[in-house]
Amino acid sequence: MKQRFFIFITLLASLFVSRVAYSQEAVQTVTLDEVVNVLSLKSSAAQIEQLAFQSELLQFENYKKGYLPSLSFSFNPVSFNRSLRLLQNPTDGSYSYVDDYSNNSSAGITVRQRIGLTGGELNVSSNLNYLNEFSSDRNSFSTTPFSIGYSQQLWGGGKQNRLEKEIEYAKNKIAIKEYCSKLSKIQQQALGLFMAALFGKMEQDFSRQTMLNTDTLLQLAEIKLKNGHITEYDYKQIELQAANARYSYEKACQSHVAAQERLAVFLGTDKMEVTIPTFDVPFAIDPNTALLYVKQNNPFSKQLEIQQLEAERNLYSAKLNSRFNGNISLNYGVNKYADTFIEAYRNVNTRQSIVVGFQIPVFQWGINRNRLRIAQNSYETSKIERERRLREFENEIREAINNYNHSVKLWQTAERAYQLAQEQSAMLVRKFSLGKVSAYELTNAQDQQNSALQRYYSAIRDTYDSYFTLRTMALYDFKRNVELEEILVKKQF
């Protein structure tokens, strides 16, 4: 009886010392929330997406500023030429060579304004030209002090401009949603690497403790073998278990270090230790709420809307090209030619022009009609394809919601099963020290604990994978009840 008590105390002391020694190792730890919501958004992948998104915003800003007045100034101070030119006499048609020895300088300023309502363009300009003829020692000035012009398509320009505006504004909204989606996918990548590092840590901790337990059991088995309490077969069985545990521990350490390094490289940080996340996600997600935010935010559905708008624009353009249409250009201004700069701006002459052109498709062997039918078919195809892909996407959403709600239940069950497996394993170790169980039962309990650990990790991973998949699809944080645009865009820009 005293010998059994001594063995039991020795076993407990060994386990206690090993746990204390292991817990005192100084390591820098990081939580799942820090990795996903802080460090992943500072990674190089996130920085690349931020720069690309800034470019998207600047492109849209350029489109909007394209409807503001633009001012341009041109200046050509030197245009020197000295050569013989072949000219024809207008009177008798004879040719002769003329010595061209001159310099021509010009300057001009132009203001342009696009008219969104009609799709036309208004421009106001002023120009000055100075000619210095060295061969005849003569200077002259040609000026257009003021000129205003307007041009547009006769029919359809306003609607085309409206459709283009709708497409550009829709593209800007999609750019914001796609940016949130890309950052959310980067967070998912960080989550996957975190889970790989977590599994490496859990497996290493488990195999370490298993190795320490089997080493202690091997010492006890040696004492029991000498005293005749166990057979040599049982001793060899425990020795084999100890060797397998040490091998598993070395492999787990190698896998854990590799997973830590992959996570650190992705985040751009030093190697760190992860911690087991606590359950901090919703117990269930309502399908109707998720579908609402997916339809409202997901760039996939928004992209289908853009495709529909582009098909409508192409159809309208095909209709315009197959019908009677034209262009109009109006211009009014003043100009003057004089030998001096001052005279070039006195008593200027009025200059007016009106140009109206028509395009009338008369006979083209039905090419325009076929083009119109092609555009109509593309438009109808786009509508049918949009409805089909939306139905498929909605089905994917429902599957993601079901996977998440199911994973949450499995987490709770798997966590409890792992706790029970740990308790059962500890009880069998104590019973073995008292000689109440065999080595085979210890091995079986160890296998059950390992299986429970695998299921526990899988439940954690599947829950967070399902949650972040749904979070990316809906661009909505169901945990904090806020859209990702508020977190990822408005707080950064």
Side-chain angles (χ1 to χ4, degrees):
M1 185 68 181
K2 290 183 179 181
Q3 184 180 11
R4 289 186 177 182
F5 180 76
F6 173 75
I7 293 174
F8 179 67
I9 294 299
T10 302
L11 175 62
L12 291 181
S14 300
L15 295 177
F16 177 76
V17 170
S18 64
R19 288 179 181 272
V20 171
Y22 181 63
S23 64
Q24 287 177 348
E25 294 180 5
V27 290
Q28 181 183 358
T29 60
V30 64
T31 64
L32 175 62
D33 185 70
E34 291 173 339
V35 168
V36 172
N37 295 320
V38 179
L39 297 177
S40 67
L41 299 179
K42 297 179 181 179
S43 65
S44 58
Q47 292 176 13
I48 291 173
E49 295 300 338
Q50 289 170 6
L51 293 174
F53 179 60
Q54 289 178 4
S55 298
E56 293 280 352
L57 294 180
L58 291 174
Q59 289 180 2
F60 181 67
E61 192 70 19
N62 288 342
Y63 170 77
K64 291 192 299 182
K65 289 182 177 180
Y67 285 91
L68 298 177
S70 64
L71 175 65
S72 61
F73 176 74
S74 62
F75 180 51
N76 186 15
V78 178
S79 179
F80 176 78
N81 183 56
R82 187 172 187 177
S83 63
L84 291 176
R85 289 191 177 185
L86 180 64
L87 297 179
Q88 186 178 22
N89 192 316
T91 303
D92 56 9
S94 62
Y95 288 92
S96 62
Y97 284 95
V98 177
D99 184 18
D100 185 1
Y101 183 22
S102 65
N103 180 67
N104 192 7
S105 303
S106 62
I109 186 170
T110 304
V111 178
R112 301 180 184 276
Q113 173 66 61
R114 292 178 63 183
I115 309 300
L117 184 62
T118 61
E121 181 181 272
L122 178 69
N123 65 83
V124 180
S125 62
S126 178
N127 296 283
L128 170 65
N129 185 273
Y130 170 65
L131 177 63
N132 188 348
E133 301 176 74
F134 298 108
S135 56
S136 59
D137 194 19
R138 178 187 174 191
N139 301 327
S140 61
F141 293 87
S142 174
T143 65
T144 304
F146 171 75
S147 176
I148 181 170
Y150 177 78
S151 62
Q152 74 161 69
Q153 188 173 303
L154 284 179
W155 293 282
K159 184 174 181 180
Q160 278 186 317
N161 187 70
R162 178 181 60 80
L163 290 173
E164 190 69 30
K165 182 178 180 180
E166 290 181 5
I167 290 173
E168 290 297 327
Y169 273 81
K171 284 182 177 180
N172 178 63
K173 291 181 180 179
I174 285 182
I176 297 174
K177 302 300 183 184
E178 285 184 341
Y179 172 66
C180 294
S181 180
K182 289 176 181 177
L183 286 189
S184 183
K185 289 178 180 178
I186 290 174
Q187 290 179 312
Q188 282 186 274
Q189 294 178 23
L191 170 68
L193 293 172
F194 178 93
M195 288 299 170
L198 175 63
F199 178 68
K201 173 182 170 56
M202 295 172 68
E203 193 174 34
Q204 178 182 274
D205 291 346
F206 174 76
S207 58
R208 177 188 176 90
Q209 191 57 51
T210 301
M211 180 187 67
L212 295 173
N213 289 347
T214 53
D215 286 346
T216 303
L217 290 174
L218 184 60
Q219 296 175 5
L220 296 176
E222 186 176 0
I223 297 173
K224 285 176 172 290
L225 179 63
K226 290 180 180 179
N227 294 328
H229 294 116
I230 61 174
T231 64
E232 185 175 357
Y233 174 82
D234 290 334
Y235 175 78
K236 294 292 184 181
Q237 184 70 26
I238 295 175
E239 186 178 8
L240 176 61
Q241 187 176 354
N244 291 336
R246 183 167 296 278
Y247 177 85
S248 299
Y249 173 69
E250 294 299 333
K251 292 291 291 184
C253 288
Q254 181 184 6
S255 300
H256 183 213
V257 170
Q260 282 181 313
E261 290 176 349
R262 285 193 294 269
L263 177 62
V265 168
F266 181 81
L267 299 177
T269 61
D270 296 330
K271 190 168 63 175
M272 59 190 67
E273 188 68 87
V274 301
T275 58
I276 298 178
T278 57
F279 185 86
D280 60 348
V281 290
F283 285 99
I285 293 179
D286 180 57
N288 294 329
T289 302
L291 281 170
L292 173 66
Y293 283 109
V294 170
K295 292 179 180 179
Q296 176 180 314
N297 297 330
N298 192 275
F300 174 78
S301 56
K302 297 295 180 183
Q303 187 65 42
L304 294 179
E305 293 178 8
I306 285 188
Q307 293 176 2
Q308 188 73 13
L309 286 173
E310 289 177 340
E312 182 180 353
R313 180 192 60 186
N314 295 338
L315 176 60
Y316 186 70
S317 297
K319 289 180 179 178
L320 289 178
N321 293 332
S322 63
R323 297 174 182 175
F324 170 82
N325 208 333
N327 294 286
I328 183 171
S329 176
L330 308 175
N331 189 277
Y332 174 84
V334 294
N335 60 0
K336 183 67 182 293
Y337 174 80
D339 293 334
T340 63
F341 178 77
I342 295 178
E343 288 297 326
Y345 283 92
R346 289 180 178 175
N347 302 319
V348 293
N349 303 313
T350 302
R351 186 185 68 179
Q352 303 177 16
S353 67
I354 299 177
V355 178
V356 179
F358 298 100
Q359 295 92 40
I360 306 174
V362 180
F363 183 71
Q364 294 180 329
W365 301 97
I367 293 177
N368 284 338
R369 183 176 66 251
N370 290 342
R371 287 175 179 171
L372 180 59
R373 290 184 61 185
I374 291 172
Q376 289 175 334
N377 291 339
S378 299
Y379 178 72
E380 294 298 327
T381 300
S382 135
K383 288 175 60 178
I384 297 172
E385 181 69 13
R386 179 172 179 265
E387 293 175 357
R388 181 186 67 82
R389 296 180 68 182
L390 279 176
R391 287 194 299 269
E392 292 177 351
F393 189 56
E394 288 179 1
N395 186 56
E396 292 179 8
I397 298 166
R398 293 188 181 92
E399 288 182 0
I401 296 171
N402 291 334
N403 289 338
Y404 172 76
N405 292 335
H406 183 65
S407 298
V408 170
K409 298 176 182 178
L410 290 180
W411 181 336
Q412 298 171 350
T413 303
E415 184 177 15
R416 179 56 181 163
Y418 181 55
Q419 292 174 353
L420 292 173
Q422 287 179 307
E423 294 173 1
Q424 288 292 98
S425 179
M427 290 173 60
L428 285 176
V429 169
R430 290 194 296 269
K431 288 184 177 181
F432 177 80
S433 65
L434 300 175
K436 294 183 178 181
V437 295
S438 65
Y440 173 78
E441 291 175 293
L442 280 176
T443 303
N444 187 44
Q446 197 68 41
D447 292 340
Q448 290 181 357
Q449 187 179 357
N450 188 29
S451 298
L453 174 67
Q454 297 278 351
R455 290 192 295 269
Y456 180 40
Y457 163 75
S458 297
I460 297 175
R461 181 197 59 199
D462 293 345
T463 298
Y464 277 101
D465 280 349
S466 300
Y467 174 75
F468 276 92
T469 297
L470 195 57
R471 181 177 181 263
T472 301
M473 296 174 73
L475 295 182
Y476 186 81
D477 193 323
F478 296 94
K479 185 167 62 175
R480 289 184 279 183
N481 293 324
V482 62
E483 294 190 10
L484 294 189
E485 185 176 340
E486 296 286 337
I487 303 172
L488 302 177
V489 179
K490 295 184 178 180
K491 288 186 179 180
Q492 295 184 28
F493 298 92

